């Protein structure tokens, strides 16, 4: 027995005396990797609690000598982080809801209804998935400028709210729901919308959650579009606010880390609560959440 | 309102109704999709042939933008080089690390699920925030890395302020942030390999190394192909880290293509030119992807 046996199909091969060492080795490797993965994140949080002189100390200290939770208050007051957070929530909430609802409706048409040009239209949807968002960001910006939507919520939300990605993901799922369920309801006189509303949607909770969690995490994190659209505190979401904050208070690392931690908390919470769906989203599509 | 469509309509009218219903279901998404995705895609192609300044307006420029990009533009050349450099180093690293991690967390060991969550955590954490953290970590004097190197008696480089080390710094951060994503994809691939193939190979006396080479690797090759394609596409699009950590500097040593598109389009307002650079980026991704699809026949096994 060697390490590979354990690593490739661990725990399933017949055990022997020597083999028992390998799990320990694997745990050790995993712990070392987890340490390296977590250090920057833990570092961010610990630094956020340090005093300014301690942050500048050389060599750096791990554990804060004195805890300064008031750093969070100071960072919060230096820039309108409450406003930024709210902007992020409105933006991401709007995008997520619109994306999920409109994608579900369209996906139903693609999965279940027959209409002329369906396959061609679906191909067009798929085709745009291959085009990087940076290609469309310039015409999109010119468009919202013409519409007078620069620095508005609708400018942040609407252009991001109708994705081919969501349609693709939900269509894949709808196709797995047995057609017979719907046929039976049709025979009983249900309308198309009735079928969608009372049969497809209730069975699609996991798929909708997958899309919603994906959209939330992607758009909370997304920098380029809000950077281009928002230019006042009235619309700036937290990622952009954080970037501007860095420019203005570039040397106060403790405050910067406190602000970074504030920006990160919502995504970490959503991820920890909903990682099952997030992981499903990755394995089902392999794409990002756009 | 759409009342009793069910049994009552004849064949023809029920088909018409289906078309109408489809239209209604599609409408909300389709309108938005056409206005904010499909048309901008077309416009992006057109825009590349214009001299379009937000303040000065547009004039047709033909191939002038492309001529300038390929013959005169030193920054573009640097951005292309940097993006390729970033891709060629970060993709192999994050693919190998992703696979290795997936194999480790594919163990029937207690608590292994927690490790999976940890490894994916940087991927979901806000990139701008993490870029700030890493900027701190890379500080030459008080930063974490050089302090750690100092303990073992090494003197670390100036990292983000050195034109040699800024790009490696960006790459390390990006691999750290992204390998968990590849891990998830590889994990799904590993779990799709039927156990009986390993048993059969074992009965035939294959060593574990041979089972890895002749069972795992070939059966995982479609996943690997997919992971490589996705990783290349996303590394061609690297932006947030470069903008926040280095702003493209020092000099142009970490200016990536997307950062350059942003600078040209939204800082110099030279939008036609930026659109042309974006098209070149798209073409590069497209060619890279097509080439990988052509070469996949050599190494990807489907059953």
């Amino acid at each position: 027995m060697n390490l590979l046996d354990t690593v490739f199909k661990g725990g399933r091969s017949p055990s022997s005396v020597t083999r028992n060492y390998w799990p320990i080795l694997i745990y050790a490797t995993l712990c070392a990797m987890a340490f390296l993965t977590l250090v920057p994140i833990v570092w961010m949080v610990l630094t956020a609690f340090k005093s300014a002189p301690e942050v500048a100390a050389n060599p750096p200290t791990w554990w804060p000598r004195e805890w300064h939770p008031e750093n969070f208050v100071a960072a919060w007051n230096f820039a309108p982080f409450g406003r930024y957070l709210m902007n992020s929530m409105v933006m991401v909430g709007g995008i997520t809801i619109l994306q999920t609802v409109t994608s579900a409706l369209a996906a139903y048409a693609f999965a279940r209804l027959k209409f002329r040009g369906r396959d061609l239209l679906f191909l067009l949807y798929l085709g745009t998935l291959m085009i990087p968002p940076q290609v469309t960001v310039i015409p999109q910006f010119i468009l919202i400028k013409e519409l007078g939507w620069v620095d508005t919520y609708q400018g942040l939300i609407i252009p991001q709210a109708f994705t081919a990605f969501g349609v693709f993901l939900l269509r894949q799922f709808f196709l797995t729901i047995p057609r017979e369920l719907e046929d039976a309801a049709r025979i009983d006189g249900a309308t198309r919308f009735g079928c969608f509303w009372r049969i497809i949607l209730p069975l699609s909770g996991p798929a909708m959650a997958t899309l919603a969690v994906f959209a939330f995490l992607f758009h909370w994190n997304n920098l380029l579009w809000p950077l281009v659209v928002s230019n006042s505190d009235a619309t700036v979401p937290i990622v952009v606010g954080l970037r501007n904050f860095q420019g203005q208070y570039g040397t106060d690392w403790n405050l910067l880390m406190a602000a970074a931690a504030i920006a990160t908390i919502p995504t970490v919470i959503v991820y920890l609560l909903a990682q099952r769906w997030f992981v499903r989203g990755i394995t089902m599509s392999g794409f990002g959440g756009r | 309102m759409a009342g009793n469509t069910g049994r009552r309509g004849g064949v023809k009218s029920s088909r018409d109704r289906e078309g109408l219903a489809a239209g209604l279901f599609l409408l909300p998404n389709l309108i938005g999709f056409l206005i904010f995705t499909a048309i901008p895609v077309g416009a992006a192609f057109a825009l590349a042939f214009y001299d379009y300044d937000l303040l000065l307006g547009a004039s047709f420029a033909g191939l002038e933008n492309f001529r300038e990009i390929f013959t005169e533009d030193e920054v573009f050349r640097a951005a292309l080089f940097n993006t390729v450099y970033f891709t060629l180093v970060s993709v192999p690293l994050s693919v190998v690390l992703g696979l290795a991690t997936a194999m480790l967390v594919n163990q029937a060991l207690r608590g292994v699920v927690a490790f999976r969550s940890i490894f994916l955590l940087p991927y979901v954490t806000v990139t701008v925030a993490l870029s700030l953290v890493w900027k701190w970590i890379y500080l030459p004097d008080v930063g974490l890395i050089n302090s750690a190197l100092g303990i073992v008696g090494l003197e670390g480089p100036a990292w983000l302020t050195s034109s040699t080390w800024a790009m490696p710094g960006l790459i390390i951060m990006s691999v750290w942030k992204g390998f968990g994503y590849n891990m998830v994809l590889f994990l799904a691939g590993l779990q799709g390999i039927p156990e009986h193939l390993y048993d059969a190979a074992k009965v035939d006396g294959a060593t574990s190394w041979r089972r890895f080479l002749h069972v795992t690797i070939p059966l995982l090759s479609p996943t690997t192909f997919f992971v490589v394609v996705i990783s290349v596409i996303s590394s061609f699009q690297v932006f947030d880290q470069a903008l926040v950590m280095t702003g493209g500097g020092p000099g142009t040593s970490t200016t990536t293509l997307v950062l350059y598109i942003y600078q040209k389009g939204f800082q110099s307002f030279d939008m036609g030119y930026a659109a042309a650079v974006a098209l070149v980026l798209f073409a590069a991704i497209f060619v890279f992807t097509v080439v990988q699809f052509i070469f996949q026949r050599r190494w990807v096994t489907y059953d």
Side-chain angles (χ1 to χ4, degrees):
Chain A
M1 283 295 162
N2 61 26
L3 178 59
L4 287 171
D5 273 332
T6 321
V7 169
F8 299 140
K9 282 290 148 186
R12 293 182 217 171
S13 30
S15 64
S16 67
V17 181
T18 51
R19 193 184 149 271
N20 291 334
Y21 290 109
W22 295 116
I24 297 170
L25 199 65
I26 290 171
Y27 273 128
T29 314
L30 284 173
C31 286
M33 288 180 67
F35 175 76
L36 290 176
T37 307
L38 288 175
V39 158
I41 298 171
V42 172
W43 189 249
M44 166 173 74
V45 176
L46 290 178
T47 306
F49 284 103
K50 289 176 188 169
S51 68
E54 190 177 355
V55 169
N58 191 7
T61 53
W62 264 110
W63 209 247
R65 274 185 231 123
E66 296 163 51
W67 291 79
H68 293 274
E70 72 275 9
N71 286 346
F72 285 85
V73 181
W76 186 274
N77 291 334
F78 260 135
F81 276 105
R83 181 78 208 188
Y84 296 160
L85 270 179
M86 199 194 76
N87 291 338
S88 274
M89 279 171 196
V90 171
M91 176 184 83
V92 176
I95 292 172
T96 305
I97 291 167
L98 275 175
Q99 221 180 72
T100 317
V101 172
T102 65
S103 298
L105 288 166
Y108 179 77
F110 280 122
R112 281 293 202 266
L113 301 177
K114 289 194 199 77
F115 57 92
R116 204 180 301 163
R118 182 182 67 180
D119 296 342
L120 196 66
L121 188 60
F122 190 64
L123 213 60
L124 177 69
Y125 267 75
L126 284 188
T128 61
L129 279 181
M130 288 161 207
I131 295 171
Q134 297 87 13
V135 172
T136 49
V137 70
I138 294 159
Q140 277 179 340
F141 176 74
I142 294 171
L143 185 62
I144 69 149
K145 194 169 164 33
E146 293 300 318
L147 291 168
W149 286 3
V150 174
D151 207 25
T152 63
Y153 280 143
Q154 63 267 37
L156 283 173
I157 294 169
I158 307 283
Q160 305 282 316
F162 307 96
T163 62
F165 172 76
V167 177
F168 170 72
L169 193 82
L170 293 182
R171 175 181 170 271
Q172 294 298 98
F173 186 83
F174 291 168
L175 287 174
T176 64
I177 298 174
R179 218 170 246 279
E180 292 74 30
L181 286 174
E182 218 179 313
D183 290 341
R186 297 279 288 156
I187 290 166
D188 290 341
T191 62
R192 279 294 177 189
F193 188 76
C195 289
F196 170 75
W197 189 252
R198 275 187 253 141
I199 294 170
I200 303 289
L201 275 195
L203 291 172
S204 305
M208 305 281 278
T210 299
L211 178 59
V213 170
F214 241 57
F216 181 94
L217 289 175
F218 180 84
H219 289 286
W220 190 280
N221 210 337
N222 189 22
L223 176 66
L224 183 57
W225 183 247
L227 190 61
V228 162
V229 174
S230 315
N231 46 37
S232 78
D233 286 346
T235 60
V236 160
I238 192 136
V239 283
V240 179
L242 199 55
R243 179 179 174 262
N244 298 343
F245 187 70
Q246 172 217 5
Q248 289 162 33
Y249 305 96
T251 46
D252 294 332
W253 284 102
N254 49 346
L255 299 190
L256 214 50
M257 292 301 107
I262 292 170
T264 287
I265 288 164
T267 59
V268 171
I269 291 174
V270 168
Y271 167 67
L272 291 178
L273 291 178
Q275 52 173 309
R276 186 158 49 103
W277 291 306
F278 184 68
V279 167
R280 256 175 62 113
I282 296 177
T283 47
M284 273 173 71
S285 68
F287 288 103
R290 61 194 145 94
Chain B
M1 279 209 283
N4 305 306
T5 26
R7 287 170 291 181
R8 289 206 309 207
V11 175
K12 184 154 173 27
S13 80
S14 95
R15 177 163 298 173
D16 287 348
R17 278 185 184 165
E18 187 148 317
L20 183 68
L24 290 175
F25 275 104
L26 271 175
L27 206 60
N29 188 278
L30 187 61
I31 292 176
F33 174 78
L34 286 177
I35 296 176
F36 295 106
T37 302
I39 292 174
V41 167
F45 279 84
L47 206 55
F49 298 93
Y50 277 84
D51 205 1
Y52 188 104
D53 187 301
L54 258 194
L55 310 167
L56 302 173
S59 64
F60 188 71
L63 292 170
E64 177 56 27
N65 287 335
F66 294 100
R67 191 195 63 75
E68 200 180 325
I69 287 172
F70 288 116
T71 60
E72 291 169 14
D73 193 338
E74 296 289 333
V75 184
F76 169 80
R77 212 167 296 163
L80 183 65
F81 173 81
N82 293 336
T83 307
V84 172
Y85 174 10
F86 180 89
T87 303
L88 288 181
V89 182
S90 74
V91 171
L93 283 177
S94 66
V95 169
V96 170
L97 195 58
L99 175 58
T101 318
M103 298 205 308
L104 288 175
V105 297
N106 193 32
Q107 306 299 303
L109 291 176
R110 193 182 292 266
V112 88
V113 177
F115 286 106
R116 291 179 199 167
S117 306
I118 290 172
F119 297 144
L120 194 56
L121 191 60
Y123 183 76
V124 299
T125 308
V126 179
T127 315
V128 174
L130 295 178
S131 302
L132 291 175
V133 178
W134 277 84
K135 212 176 159 180
W136 202 103
I137 288 175
Y138 281 132
L139 286 181
D141 302 324
V142 296
L144 212 49
I145 292 190
N146 282 6
S147 300
L149 289 174
I151 292 171
V152 289
L154 293 170
E155 195 183 338
W159 292 107
L160 300 179
T161 49
S162 137
S163 51
T164 317
W165 287 98
M167 186 53 95
L170 221 58
I171 290 171
I172 292 170
M173 183 273 181
S174 304
V175 170
W176 168 82
K177 183 172 162 62
F179 81 98
Y181 186 84
N182 291 345
M183 172 199 75
V184 171
L185 291 171
F186 276 123
L187 193 58
L190 284 173
Q191 290 175 348
I193 299 177
E195 183 71 12
H196 66 83
L197 291 177
Y198 288 100
D199 298 338
K202 217 179 274 179
V203 171
D204 290 345
T207 63
S208 55
W209 176 244
R210 289 199 159 272
R211 290 198 298 271
F212 175 64
L213 279 187
H214 300 297
V215 180
T216 311
I217 289 289
L219 285 170
L220 211 54
S221 61
T223 308
T224 310
F225 172 67
F226 185 69
V227 170
V228 170
V229 170
I230 292 284
S231 302
V232 168
I233 291 176
S234 66
S235 73
F236 263 94
Q237 299 174 358
V238 64
F239 171 70
D240 298 18
Q241 299 95 303
L243 181 75
V244 176
M245 286 166 67
T246 62
T252 53
S253 59
T254 55
T255 304
T256 62
L257 279 174
V258 176
L259 185 58
Y260 187 49
I261 293 169
Y262 172 74
Q263 289 169 343
K264 273 284 172 191
F266 299 102
Q267 289 177 339
S268 323
F269 299 113
D270 203 348
M271 298 206 144
Y273 197 81
V277 178
L279 270 199
V280 174
L281 168 74
F282 176 44
I285 290 177
F286 188 77
V287 169
F288 226 100
T289 309
V290 168
V291 167
Q292 289 179 88
F293 267 90
I294 291 170
F295 277 102
Q296 69 160 326
R297 279 182 234 142
R298 301 243 178 115
W299 64 278
V300 178
T301 352
Y302 296 99
D303 28 41

